[in-house]
Amino acid sequence: ATANIGVVGLAVMGSNLARNLASREGNTVAVFNRTWSKTETLITEHPEAGFVASEEIDDFVASLQQPRTAIIMVKAGAGTDAVINELADRFEPGDIIVDGGNALFTDTIRREKALRERGLNFVGAGISGGEEGALLGPSIMPGGSAQAWETLGPILKSIAAVAEGEPCVTHIGTDGAGHFVKMIHNGIEYADMQLIAEAYDLIRRGTGKSPAEIAEVFAEWNRGELESYLIEITAEVLRQVDAETGKPLVDVILDQAGAKGTGAWTVKSALDLGIPVSGIAEAVFARSLSSKPAQRAAASDLPGPAEAWTVDDADAFIEDVRKALFASKIVAYSQGFDEIVAGAEEYGWDIHKGEVAKIWRGGCIIRAQFLNRITDAYAADPGLVALLTAPYFRDALTESQEAWRRVVVAAAQAGIPSPAFSSSLAYYDGLRADRLPAALVQGQRDFFGAHTYQRVDKDGIFHTLWSGDRTEIETDGPSH
Ligand code: NBP
């Protein structure tokens, strides 16, 4: 046994992660893939990595020093279960199996429990940053036991991205906590991308600027409080010219957005937990809507606004859109962290929100300056009930909200869809409202289903005898 770490699954992510591991001092990396040709390609192309390659899984397991530690990077789902079982049958108590794929956190909870019962450590680790991140330094969100983290921590710290001198990895919590937080990361990523897309669309249609000109707007924004990887790459995409047609690339890309499902997971889980992640949900739905060509064609002759829309002062409008984007982004993160809090409570995880924001500052897709403000907010008040009410965000929203309203009004009047901007604003207004029409909903529920209600002026649970003389009675029945 010569290797201190192994990687199973040598498609793009696994190969890059294996190379990243091999490039760090002190690591000898064993590699294995179901199909040998992929392993062969990797070791031939990267002799410098000094990989210990095996054609058979038995040899791979034998090449690992104890406690054996192997990271699985295979397609999430059945492939992951297959590989886990093959390793588990050969591993011994104390050994560590890490799933670095995009597993659903409930699968991770199930797998961890099953392997724990066999004396094995199972760590579901969310890894963000795509191919480049895997090679140069991703943001890593490991769950699993504290015992496994002791062995694994130093290895993961050595390959993670570094932000402001700190590695972008921390032990998130037990069993599925890491994959849960990775899921939320992806949900926020969906919202962030949709908000940027809406900003681009409004600026383009409101001011008539070309994609290349709008690229300059984003490049400028990237020097301010919106500074982030997604804003940076948006400018790059908008600048790109299609070699074949000479048109902006964005104009020749089919406008139907794909999805691999992690955004939908975030929303499904939020629905189960009762957390309103409306900005994230709108972002997921916006992709679904875009990918319905038959419905879009059928609806394409439905009427829009009678009057054409023009913006009088382009610079002022662009600044309004910037503020609307920042405010909506604060809402998306606030909602995402609400879901983390609710998930931690439901599944019994001790998740440090400030640490989560810290490890997202580098390596991952939503990396941004802004995340420091989230860390600061939770450091100042660990019991913060809503991120958007922390002083920095409160000030930003105060500063932005009028512009945000102007943008949402303009979009509605112009007939330009801005689901994430407008739902985020509705969320903001919903949270800050003195009174919500939920009171009427409670009245309706009591009317048709005797679901009862509570009163603002005294304790107790009440029901109005709607089909009788409509007097109110106090009940000991269920509230809500
Ligand atoms: P894929 O998700 O395309 O998976 C391909 C790998 O899975 C190959 O090594 C393949 O082996 C192996 N595999 C499959 Br499929 N079924 C198997 C089975 N039954 N038994 C053993 N091996 C099996 O690879 P990827 O794009 O590198 O992603 C790996 C993981 O990382 C995924 O869970 C993905 O969601 C996650 N992830 C990807 C990214 C990204 O940017 N791509 C980012 C973050 C996380 P073979 O060669 O024998 O077919």
Side-chain angles (χ1 to χ4, degrees), residues 32 77 144 179 341:
F32 176 78
H179 275 138
V341 171

Side-chain angles (χ1 to χ4, degrees), residues 180-181 184 188 275 277 280 330-344 351-358 360 366 370-371 374-375 378 384-388:
F180 182 84
V181 164
I184 303 292
I188 292 173
I275 301 302
V277 294
I280 297 170
I330 292 170
V331 166
Y333 279 73
S334 196
Q335 293 179 343
F337 275 87
D338 280 351
E339 189 170 345
I340 291 178
V341 171
I351 298 180
H352 293 253
K353 279 94 66 186
E355 288 297 307
V356 170
K358 258 189 180 181
W360 287 347
I366 62 172
F370 172 82
L371 288 155
I374 298 179
T375 304
Y378 284 114
L384 188 63
V385 291
L387 185 60
L388 55 70

Side-chain angles (χ1 to χ4, degrees), residues 194-255:
Q194 174 65 20
L195 291 167
I196 292 171
E198 289 178 18
Y200 148 76
D201 198 26
L202 283 161
I203 293 174
R204 186 154 185 197
R205 291 163 71 173
T207 69
K209 282 186 187 290
S210 69
E213 288 168 326
I214 300 172
E216 295 313 311
V217 172
F218 280 99
E220 177 64 34
W221 289 358
N222 202 37
R223 289 189 276 275
E225 59 197 355
L226 279 170
E227 193 216 316
S228 63
Y229 173 71
L230 282 170
I231 293 279
E232 180 191 327
I233 65 161
T234 299
E236 300 275 333
V237 174
L238 289 175
R239 258 187 220 121
Q240 185 74 11
V241 174
D242 175 44
E244 212 173 302
T245 60
K247 292 181 182 170
L249 180 68
V250 72
D251 286 348
V252 297
I253 296 178
L254 187 68
D255 60 343

Side-chain angles (χ1 to χ4, degrees), residues 6 15 42 56 165 260 292:
S15 295
L42 177 68
E56 300 298 331
K260 280 191 173 170
K292 296 282 176 287

Side-chain angles (χ1 to χ4, degrees), residues 43 46 52 56 66 112 127 162 187 252 284 293 295 304 325 341 384-385 394 406 441 448 458:
I43 58 176
H46 297 285
V52 181
E56 300 298 331
Q66 283 172 304
E112 197 276 337
I127 301 186
V162 175
V252 297
V284 175
Q295 283 170 297
L325 176 54
V341 171
L384 188 63
V385 291
R394 182 183 289 273
R406 283 193 294 272
V441 172
F448 67 68
K458 56 182 173 188

